[in-house]
Amino acid sequence: MPLLHRTTRFIAQRLYAITFLSAIGCTSLASAQATAPSPAVIEHPVPQQSGVNQKVHLASDRSTMPLVLVKGYPFLEGEVNGIKGKLLFDVGEEESFALNTHRVTPPDGKVIGHGFFGSGQTFTVSRFPLVDDLKLADGPDYTAIPNVRGSSGQQLEDNITPDFIGWIGIAFFDGYVIKLDYQHPSVTFYRNDAASAGKQAALKGEKVLQVIHFDFAGHRNLLAFPVKLGNLPFIANLDTGSHDTVWLTPELIKTMKAAGTLHCTTDECKLSSVSIDNHVISLRSHTDLIEGKAAVSEKMGHANDNIMTLGYEFLSKFKTVWNYQDQTLTLLSKDGPE
């Protein structure tokens, strides 16, 4: 029997890849969505032109958009160049808007790199000089969008939703506080200011359960904070484009079994005694356990730490308020104030 519960669901984990670009560029990090719902890591991206996707951004002080949850992934419905479909609302995506080039391929795209996943699939990353239009259901419409990045999202089409057309990322709501509600699937955007008006509006009338302080480690699409499994320290990464996942080395497996924080049967493994700032949280039994080190740990600035990702299973337990200005995630009761 395998030591860990190995799920066969494609949606179980975020797949990370190292992307090697043929063009000479700087060494900053950028995300390249490819054959997984989460960002692959580009080691040497082509320097981006100024104004990349700046046009795809919110304008109103407050707006609410419906989400469609498919197998635990939150999507915004919309249309790109006349093709209707779903765009993944992904806090692991740095740019405001990226294309699934398997469904939408504008003309004159320029290949800016290639990469591969650990499973062997390869992908091409391109940038397109112009996307004619982007329409979001109950949201803004954009035309003549310059410098849009894209890569194939065929695996999302095949395994999650066949009408997947792209990603909406964190640059879309830069300067806003967001509230995610998976019970009544929606995302609300509150324009923030120096007086934290957006934060106050997002929290008004809500019951606050916990405030978590996170770090970017230099990359705004990699939100991380400390957690504990029993007495063992871990670093958790927050991600709407993932399910709850924990990476465990063989040594950790032995230690956690001995401590009683990892319990395995013939069908599944369960974690217990998980806490954030001494607040115990309950992870569902189908948290995915993967033997080895998380490929993204080095990019998170935690190469030597134990890593877990908190995604749908964690986020669906609460309403959550994300404030990138003061780097906090606030957990709210799903049922509102007492």
Side-chain angles (χ1 to χ4, degrees):
M1 182 185 72
L3 194 57
L4 292 180
H5 172 51
R6 302 272 187 164
T7 178
T8 58
R9 294 177 303 152
F10 167 78
I11 59 175
Q13 68 185 75
R14 178 179 287 270
L15 302 177
Y16 291 94
I18 300 300
T19 305
F20 300 95
L21 297 184
S22 56
I24 297 175
C26 62
T27 57
S28 62
L29 179 79
S31 61
Q33 300 288 6
T35 55
S38 56
V41 175
I42 296 181
E43 291 286 4
H44 303 288
V46 174
Q48 295 182 353
Q49 302 175 43
S50 61
V52 169
N53 284 348
Q54 287 184 354
K55 188 169 185 177
V56 180
H57 192 272
L58 291 164
S60 60
D61 290 337
R62 175 176 175 174
S63 62
T64 298
M65 299 182 196
L67 294 173
V68 178
L69 292 175
V70 183
K71 299 181 180 179
Y73 290 103
F75 292 91
L76 296 168
E77 292 190 314
E79 183 177 319
V80 179
N81 285 3
I83 300 174
K84 294 183 179 181
K86 296 183 179 68
L87 298 103
L88 181 64
F89 184 75
D90 189 3
V91 298
E93 167 58 58
E94 286 188 304
E95 296 194 22
S96 60
F97 168 49
L99 286 172
N100 169 19
T101 55
H102 188 251
R103 288 289 305 276
V104 185
T105 309
D108 303 320
K110 179 181 179 181
V111 174
I112 62 172
H114 299 84
F116 62 91
F117 292 104
S119 53
Q121 297 106 328
T122 60
F123 60 88
T124 297
V125 182
S126 300
R127 191 167 290 281
F128 300 90
L130 188 70
V131 170
D132 292 336
D133 61 77
L134 164 66
K135 299 177 181 178
L136 297 175
D138 293 335
D141 295 348
Y142 304 94
T143 58
I145 308 162
N147 304 317
V148 178
R149 201 198 65 240
S151 51
S152 175
Q154 184 176 356
Q155 283 203 17
L156 279 87
E157 296 177 46
D158 293 344
N159 295 280
I160 301 177
T161 183
D163 60 348
F164 172 68
I165 55 176
W167 292 261
I168 295 295
I170 60 177
F172 177 72
F173 55 84
D174 187 36
Y176 286 73
V177 169
I178 66 170
K179 181 189 292 183
L180 279 178
D181 184 348
Y182 281 9
Q183 185 176 17
H184 307 95
S186 63
V187 56
T188 302
F189 305 90
Y190 305 84
R191 190 195 299 273
N192 212 16
D193 58 19
S196 297
K199 175 183 176 180
Q200 294 175 35
L203 298 178
K204 185 177 181 181
E206 300 285 2
K207 179 185 178 182
V208 174
L209 301 177
Q210 186 176 359
V211 178
I212 299 169
H213 295 267
F214 57 76
D215 182 30
F216 297 131
H219 310 300
R220 286 171 60 84
N221 63 326
L222 297 175
L223 307 186
F225 56 89
V227 302
K228 282 188 176 181
L229 275 68
N231 292 321
L232 287 173
F234 275 70
I235 296 296
N237 168 234
L238 280 172
D239 193 354
T240 57
S242 181
H243 284 250
D244 289 357
T245 307
V246 182
W247 287 263
L248 300 175
T249 63
E251 294 77 17
L252 268 176
I253 294 168
K254 294 178 182 178
T255 300
M256 293 174 63
K257 282 188 171 182
T261 55
L262 177 62
H263 312 268
C264 292
T265 67
T266 56
D267 298 320
E268 63 185 11
C269 288
K270 296 182 181 180
L271 297 173
S272 61
S273 302
V274 183
S275 63
I276 304 172
D277 293 334
N278 296 319
H279 292 260
V280 176
I281 62 172
S282 175
L283 298 183
R284 298 182 183 180
S285 60
H286 55 267
T287 297
D288 296 306
L289 307 180
I290 303 172
E291 186 172 333
K293 295 288 288 185
V296 75
S297 59
E298 185 173 347
K299 295 303 170 187
M300 290 171 60
H302 295 280
N304 298 317
D305 293 314
N306 306 317
I307 300 296
M308 66 189 304
T309 291
L310 295 176
Y312 169 74
E313 288 77 19
F314 173 74
L315 296 173
S316 63
K317 294 168 67 70
F318 317 95
K319 285 185 285 185
T320 54
V321 172
W322 307 58
N323 188 335
Y324 283 71
Q325 283 183 267
D326 63 13
Q327 296 182 205
T328 58
L329 177 80
T330 303
L331 308 182
L332 307 175
S333 169
K334 289 194 298 186
D335 302 319
E338 292 180 322

